[in-house]
Amino acid sequence: MLNMKLTRLLCLAFVSMLFSFLFATQALALRIAPTVVELSTLPGEPVAGFFQVVNNEQSPLTLTPTIYEAVPSVSDEKGFASIVAPTQNSTLANWIKLDETILLQPGEKKDIRFIVTVPQNAPPGGHYAAISLSQPATTPSGSGAAIVPQLTVNVALDIAGESIEKADIVSFKTESGKTNFDKLPVKFFARLHNGGNRHFRPTGAVVIKNMFGSTVAELPIKTQDAGGNILPGSTRQYDFDWVGEFAFGKYTAMFSADLGGAGTKAASIELWVMPAGLLVLWLIIALIIIVILVLLIKRAVSSSSALKK
């Protein structure tokens, strides 16, 4: 019975490993880099962009590009733009031109070139779009739903001209707004708003100091996710985790950020870290000391009364 169970477990493990390998192979079948293309130009001057596609399949692939407009997301503050179909009022999405189909041979690596035709009256500032490359739809057996594998390249274009540099710290607080903790970790949230007409990538950190003014932790802004940029007219949240084995007492967390042309802004909060177990221990010690003092005082009073008699 035990051998049969062991055999079943080994078979399940083998099947799981096989499926993991197959899905990993499929995920790596088509690669694209970079995922963000940043360009700059003058009004009326065209500019070219490039990205690379790699076909790791053993058969040819035909890719169909679709161009979307990228707009700041209203519901998501993680830095990811919303991808929508372009309209007549769209800018960059209507200016990008590239081949209607892209053919890749097995194992081929190809540089894809696209042209951005910028009108003479193009408004200065940031303009954003996305190029989605889709493969022919496939229908898995036993399913009526078609799957269209696709990859996306984000394109950010900066047009020279009048620059509006306006940004600020919307809020800086701990998780749930608490200021009293019994142990680490402590999570901080900073929300930054870009009110200008160009995207920027903030830099800075949360510096934590103890009650004596000594720095105990420095938590830099993480800008690797989605490029770290804040699009014009959007708010982005950055997370910070203060981890450690022990903390006790009053601390000051100072968040300072360089917001591009808007300058450096700062915000701070004060918090307490008071381990519950340590507080209970201190309370017990305090009670013992009080009891001892009371007993000593009573003994001293009794001794004094005895001497007077």
Side-chain angles (χ1 to χ4, degrees), residues 172-295:
F172 173 58
K173 61 181 182 179
T174 63
E175 189 173 16
S176 302
K178 297 195 307 180
T179 56
N180 295 294
F181 301 86
D182 59 359
K183 62 180 179 179
L184 299 180
V186 175
K187 182 179 284 292
F188 299 91
F189 300 102
R191 298 174 63 240
L192 307 179
H193 179 73
N194 180 3
N197 64 348
R198 285 181 165 83
H199 66 275
F200 67 89
R201 183 174 302 173
T203 58
V206 174
V207 177
I208 302 172
K209 296 187 177 183
N210 60 21
M211 64 184 76
F212 306 108
S214 300
T215 299
V216 297
E218 187 169 346
L219 317 173
I221 292 178
K222 303 171 187 175
T223 56
Q224 68 271 23
D225 298 330
N229 293 318
I230 307 178
L231 298 182
S234 70
T235 299
R236 180 164 183 178
Q237 176 178 292
Y238 296 88
D239 303 346
F240 307 85
D241 294 304
W242 177 24
V243 297
E245 296 181 357
F246 180 79
F248 177 80
K250 181 181 179 182
Y251 294 88
T252 300
M254 170 71 75
F255 173 58
S256 179
D258 183 350
L259 306 181
T264 300
K265 304 291 178 69
S268 64
I269 55 176
E270 293 183 346
L271 61 147
W272 288 81
V273 181
M274 305 291 285
L278 189 59
L279 286 177
V280 172
L281 178 61
W282 281 22
L283 181 60
I284 293 174
I285 294 174
L287 288 174
I288 293 174
I289 293 174
I290 291 173
V291 170
I292 293 174
L293 288 175
V294 170
L295 292 176

Side-chain angles (χ1 to χ4, degrees), residues 10 102 175 201 213 301:
L10 289 174
I102 299 171
E175 189 173 16
R201 183 174 302 173
V301 170

